Amino acid sequence: MREVAVVGFAQRQMKEFDGSPTCVELLVPLFEECYEQTGWTRRDVGFWCSGSSDYLAGRSFSFVQAVDAIGVIPPVNESHVEMDLAWAMYEAWLKIQTGEVDTAVVYAFGKSSAGVLRRTLALQLEPYTMTPLWPDTVSLAGLQARAGIDAGLWDERAMAEVANRSLTDAEKNEYAVRKGGSSVEELLARPVYADPLRKHDCAPVTDGAAALVLAAGDRAREVQDRPAWIDGISHYVDPMSMGTRDLTRSPSAARAAQAVGVAGVEVAELHAPFSHQELVLRRELGLADDVVVNPSGGALTSNPMFSAGGIRIGEAARRIWSGEASRTLGHATSGPALQQNLVCTLEGRS
Amino acid sequence: MSRTLSAPVTVAFDYTRSTGPVLGRFLTGLRDGVVVGGRTSEGRVVVPPPEFDPVTHQQVTDFVEVASTGTVTSWTWVPEPVAGQPFDRPFAFALVTLEGADAPLLHALDVASPDQVSTGMQVRVRWAEERVGAITDIVCFEPVAELDDADAGAAASQPGTDPVTKVITPVALDYLYAASPEESAFYRGLAEGRILGQRCPACGKVYVPPRSACPVDGVATTEEVELSETGTVTTFCIVNVPFLGQRIKPPYVSAYVLLDGADIAVLHLILDIPADEVRMGMRVKAVWKPRDEWGTTIENISHFSPTGDPDADYDTYKHHL
């Protein structure tokens, strides 16, 4: 295995992006930040991979125009996944493992506010028996939250505690869309929205984009004093149907965590767009009690579609670069109610 | 003023899908007023039947008719339904385990308020009067009232017809689609009778309509350039084929016009000349609609028309083909 590190990270998260769903003008400054962090030009990048969705953008081949932001003379080595940035990163990591390239920039973008996000996402469901009912994301998460409450695994207070801690931590995150914690009592006093969920239990609709820079071996050491080495990366998927899996569990997340090993993790950035999902993940990943979860505020305070999972890895990497932690974890999810899960562990070496 | 211009857009299409033998069996059952599950290798009856066994990966072939009454195992309230959902008023989504099944089915539950739902409550299928072999043949679940008699939930079978092998799922998504700030400047320019492009600071190329970044260099194109409304036909095609929504009777010419001062050609119509006389290098000029018909659209230019000037030398546009 080649040693590969995350050496660059740039992000934009906002409630509403006043621009086109191509997000090209959002990506140009993101790439500039990545060049600044690494001292590279675009010609130092061996491989590009993006994550986005035509359904979100309301146009076909939505990733093609985004390539404008790269500049493609001479032609570049480029690919795309209809998945979160974290999976684009997985592809780039594999590409580097092949030895074909040493460096990569992966990016993702999405203007969630262009349509009705929770409705648009019904199109990722099974098309015969689910999509025709248009079960929206919030409803599917609500079924999951209720299942856990009924099983006695968590309660509304535990969910509010997650929300309050996230909102408080997000005060330090300049990109967070929603921030400002109060108290668990205050949150529990707010009205129930999609019973059993309150609005603060659900991630805000967020527009945005993000980019991660990967480099192998000495290329990483050249550009980062303390690269965030990818120690393990793994992803699994559970059945899509809501009836054939135990919604209080996430076997795919557990399996991914087992594959990479989470011992010694000090900080974990978990992609949990609903408060109870953090509780599911914490248990399935087997995180120790003293692990700091989502110091960025997490997806509950800002959840740009197709970037939010990768942003978790970027946030986990930043804490390695700064020397704040020696071993961190980034997690990304996709699909209904934590169906697909990716876990990436990062470490700093002195 | 917003940085961008935006307009509502609806993207709609009908997905036509073949069902295969397993989902086909399930949907045929729904059409006939029966819920069909599939028995897995572990002996569980799952509704809808999975196409392949989750453990052995063999095709599921053991079908079991289950009851149309069952128990709510989880539910959530839908305070603001979105388009396409079973109801356009608040309702519940529920997971319901039907009698005879071991796994729950997702569907709507018709109750007026969340107070009327609870995990463990008994519900039954409300069948659609006209059934076609789709999940929507079940309108929803409804609470089983105490006074119901024994035939609750029974549905008259439709006359025996062929098995369901196909479903058509209409999909329509509504967007508020925004032009980029650069495209917005272009459209606002058209509303003033001006054609605006932008120049790349790195390579100097002028793009019209302007893009948010130069695709060659990957840098923002910032310098605004007003272009001539006269240009050269670089390449063209004669449209002979009629199609839905066509506005001009064929044959007519759709051409790339390289406006003087631009490096990228724009696509537009060439009229006022027989189609077979249009040629590469022909000099053309924009013909604008009457000013009171203008909006923020390229249609402010009705078409391009020959200027009558001598054709442009091939060398002047050969790099722009």
Side-chain angles (χ1 to χ4, degrees):
Chain A
M1 288 285 235
R2 300 185 75 190
E3 45 171 18
V4 179
V6 180
V7 297
F9 170 47
Q11 61 176 313
R12 296 286 185 281
Q13 304 185 65
M14 58 201 81
K15 194 159 186 288
E16 209 166 322
F17 171 53
D18 181 22
S20 88
T22 68
C23 295
V24 172
E25 68 269 32
L26 203 53
L27 292 169
V28 170
L30 275 186
F31 295 159
E32 280 169 3
E33 269 182 47
C34 290
Y35 300 143
E36 206 169 295
Q37 288 174 24
T38 53
W40 295 352
T41 71
R42 62 197 172 91
R43 303 194 184 196
D44 292 301
V45 179
F47 180 61
W48 297 83
C49 193
S50 64
S52 69
S53 166
D54 290 357
Y55 287 99
L56 205 63
R59 68 206 306 269
S60 52
F61 300 103
S62 64
F63 68 97
V64 172
Q65 194 166 359
V67 172
D68 275 13
I70 301 174
V72 290
I73 290 183
V76 299
N77 190 356
E78 186 265 346
S79 185
H80 173 257
V81 296
E82 189 96 358
M83 287 290 279
D84 185 276
L85 173 61
W87 276 267
M89 189 192 98
Y90 188 90
E91 181 175 333
W93 177 83
L94 279 174
K95 189 74 136 188
I96 294 174
Q97 291 302 335
T98 66
E100 192 186 317
V101 298
D102 299 324
T103 59
V105 171
V106 295
Y107 62 100
F109 57 94
K111 184 172 172 174
S112 305
S113 68
V116 179
L117 179 64
R118 63 197 163 100
R119 179 173 188 270
T120 304
L121 292 175
L123 291 179
Q124 69 181 338
L125 301 171
E126 191 268 297
Y128 297 93
T129 65
M130 292 179 80
T131 302
L133 305 174
W134 293 89
D136 57 284
T137 329
V138 173
S139 294
L140 295 178
L143 291 171
Q144 184 181 35
R146 169 95 52 210
I149 291 170
D150 287 344
L153 292 168
W154 59 77
D155 55 20
E156 293 182 18
R157 169 166 291 270
M159 289 159 61
E161 281 167 1
V162 169
N164 192 44
R165 198 208 63 235
S166 300
L167 290 165
T168 305
D169 285 343
E171 288 168 26
K172 299 188 291 286
N173 182 351
E174 61 176 304
Y175 298 106
V177 163
R178 195 186 272 169
K179 56 181 87 177
S182 47
S183 70
V184 171
E185 276 66 31
E186 197 270 323
L187 291 184
L188 286 172
R190 292 186 190 171
V192 174
Y193 174 66
D195 196 337
L197 301 174
R198 292 173 171 81
K199 285 197 171 171
H200 56 249
D201 291 313
C202 314
V205 173
T206 312
D207 295 342
L212 293 166
V213 186
L214 302 186
D218 288 340
R219 294 300 306 270
R221 291 183 194 94
E222 282 164 22
V223 298
Q224 261 290 349
D225 293 339
R226 191 174 147 86
W229 298 103
I230 296 174
D231 186 51
I233 182 167
S234 179
H235 67 114
Y236 284 92
V237 56
D238 291 320
M240 178 183 286
S241 120
M242 303 293 282
T244 46
R245 59 182 161 124
D246 177 353
L247 293 176
T248 67
R249 306 298 306 262
S250 178
S252 58
R255 203 158 185 190
Q258 281 157 17
V260 300
V262 300
V265 165
E266 298 146 83
V267 175
E269 281 280 343
L270 308 182
H271 186 196
F274 296 89
S275 57
H276 66 275
Q277 293 181 344
E278 183 184 301
L279 303 170
V280 174
L281 288 167
R282 196 166 181 135
R283 171 181 170 199
E284 295 294 347
L285 300 182
L287 297 178
D289 289 345
D290 60 353
V291 173
V292 176
V293 172
N294 288 349
S296 68
L300 216 46
T301 62
S302 231
N303 187 38
M305 284 307 298
F306 296 90
S307 305
I311 287 172
R312 305 279 72 78
I313 295 170
E315 291 286 356
R318 283 206 304 131
R319 281 162 177 89
I320 300 284
W321 302 340
S322 68
E324 195 180 321
S326 299
R327 187 163 162 77
T328 61
L329 179 151
H331 158 269
T333 196
S334 186
L338 297 177
Q339 184 208 4
Q340 307 174 47
N341 293 281
L342 181 149
V343 173
C344 174
T345 47
L346 301 165
E347 66 174 30
R349 298 172 193 155
S350 32
Chain B
M1 185 171 70
S2 163
R3 211 161 61 118
T4 60
L5 289 169
S6 61
V9 172
T10 299
V11 179
F13 44 89
D14 286 349
Y15 269 124
T16 305
R17 299 174 180 278
S18 56
T19 58
V22 177
L23 285 162
R25 179 74 186 81
F26 174 69
L27 296 173
T28 301
L30 293 185
R31 186 200 61 200
D32 297 342
V34 177
V35 184
V36 174
R39 196 185 305 275
T40 67
S41 62
E42 292 173 311
R44 282 162 53 83
V45 174
V46 177
V47 181
E51 290 183 284
F52 295 94
D53 189 278
V55 176
T56 65
H57 306 158
Q58 298 296 305
Q59 186 175 317
V60 170
T61 53
D62 186 3
F63 299 107
V64 182
E65 288 190 7
V66 301
S68 55
T69 52
T71 308
V72 170
T73 57
S74 188
W75 62 274
T76 186
W77 191 244
V78 187
E80 296 171 24
V82 296
Q85 288 184 334
F87 295 102
D88 58 8
R89 54 184 160 79
F91 67 98
F93 267 118
L95 290 170
V96 175
T97 304
L98 296 167
E99 287 159 42
D102 301 296
L105 170 68
L106 171 72
H107 217 299
L109 173 60
D110 183 13
V111 283
S113 87
D115 303 338
Q116 295 170 13
V117 203
S118 59
T119 304
M121 75 186 283
Q122 297 298 301
V123 295
R124 68 175 176 200
V125 169
R126 181 192 299 164
W127 294 100
E129 282 179 18
E130 287 197 22
R131 297 192 296 272
V132 295
I135 190 67
T136 46
D137 287 350
I138 296 176
V139 175
C140 62
F141 285 102
E142 60 190 12
V144 175
E146 291 91 2
L147 297 177
D148 272 348
D149 50 28
D151 68 349
S157 289
Q158 308 290 93
T161 45
D162 296 336
V164 173
T165 58
K166 190 174 84 168
V167 289
I168 297 175
T169 306
V171 165
L173 291 171
D174 298 317
Y175 299 91
L176 185 65
Y177 199 92
S180 71
E182 295 76 18
E183 290 163 339
S184 298
F186 173 73
Y187 292 120
R188 285 177 174 131
L190 285 170
E192 299 166 356
R194 306 192 306 151
I195 306 173
L196 299 177
Q198 279 182 336
R199 193 187 311 276
C200 170
C203 67
K205 291 259 192 305
V206 172
Y207 296 100
V208 57
R211 309 166 78 102
S212 301
C214 171
V216 174
D217 298 292
V219 296
T221 54
T222 43
E223 186 197 338
E224 195 168 276
V225 180
E226 182 159 355
L227 293 156
S228 165
E229 56 180 29
T230 303
T232 302
V233 172
T234 59
T235 186
F236 65 94
C237 79
I238 300 176
V239 179
N240 287 300
V241 181
F243 57 83
L244 191 69
Q246 196 169 47
R247 295 185 188 183
I248 303 170
K249 190 171 156 34
Y252 62 91
V253 173
S254 180
Y256 274 114
V257 176
L258 183 69
L259 297 172
D260 296 346
D263 290 287
I264 294 290
V266 293
L267 186 65
H268 219 304
L269 299 167
I270 310 294
L271 300 178
D272 307 332
I273 179 174
D276 60 2
E277 289 178 25
V278 174
R279 56 204 179 265
M280 289 172 76
M282 194 173 77
R283 297 286 290 161
V284 293
K285 189 171 191 302
V287 177
W288 295 77
K289 284 184 184 168
R291 187 173 274 267
D292 57 6
E293 293 175 25
W294 287 359
T296 44
T297 163
I298 188 68
E299 292 180 344
N300 291 0
I301 297 173
S302 149
H303 60 278
F304 282 79
S305 181
T307 61
D309 294 334
D311 285 2
D313 187 35
Y314 181 67
D315 285 341
T316 63
Y317 62 88
K318 69 178 180 186
H319 295 298
H320 302 286
L321 291 173

